Amino acid sequence: MATPTFFHEFFNHVATGVHNLSTGSFKVGLTNTAPSAANDDTWSDITEITPGNGYTDDGNTLDSEAWAETGAGTAIWQFTCSDEVITASGGNIGPFRYPVIYNDTPTSPADPLVCMIDYGSGITVTDGNTFTLDVGSNGIFRVGTGTIS
């Protein structure tokens, strides 16, 4: 996965019990407006692209989410999911530049943000084609042994 930028409140939300990485329902939404890692806290702060043509309002739910140790005794924990594939059908999706991952489960605050990825320029998925958010072998993020990556 491309290197994510974490929203500043994410780590505070983990520490204060807002996020449950084992049981939460996480989504990826799309925006073409640059989010502010320092100032945006919840999905309502994000200017979402217009839904339709295969892109769902408020984003797609991530599949096969998991919070697990990478190996017994490694003290490295990973949050991961399946690659997310969005297929344009009936028209184009986008443009968008930033996939934004957020937790759809909490109600206070509602829909807290996790991270965003900057693809550097706008992406339009043309009718019949797909966009894949490739999570990769390191998942969305890893923590442990004094490091975060």
Side-chain angles (χ1 to χ4, degrees):
M1 184 165 123
T3 303
T5 298
F6 289 92
F7 291 93
H8 294 196
E9 276 300 299
F10 171 66
F11 295 105
N12 180 49
H13 287 157
V14 169
T16 58
V18 171
H19 292 284
N20 185 326
L21 299 173
S22 296
T23 63
S25 176
F26 292 81
K27 289 187 168 188
V28 60
L30 304 176
T31 181
N32 205 36
T33 303
S36 170
N39 297 315
D40 294 338
D41 297 328
T42 64
W43 179 242
S44 65
D45 295 329
I46 303 301
T47 304
E48 182 180 25
I49 66 167
T50 302
N53 301 327
Y55 174 70
T56 306
D57 188 28
D58 293 329
N60 293 17
T61 301
L62 299 178
D63 297 317
S64 304
E65 300 162 8
W67 172 247
E69 195 171 20
T70 59
T74 62
I76 299 172
W77 289 78
Q78 177 175 284
F79 182 63
T80 193
C81 64
S82 299
D83 291 348
E84 185 60 37
V85 179
I86 300 170
T87 302
S89 177
N92 298 341
I93 298 172
F96 63 91
R97 178 173 168 169
Y98 309 91
V100 175
I101 296 174
Y102 71 97
N103 189 343
D104 192 38
T105 304
T107 57
S108 183
D111 305 327
L113 301 174
V114 175
C115 63
M116 65 178 159
I117 296 111
D118 182 353
Y119 277 89
S121 62
I123 297 169
T124 298
V125 183
T126 56
D127 191 14
N129 290 297
T130 61
F131 167 78
T132 300
L133 180 63
D134 182 0
V135 176
S137 62
N138 288 328
I140 296 170
F141 67 90
R142 288 182 167 197
V143 296
T145 63
T147 63
I148 299 175
S149 61

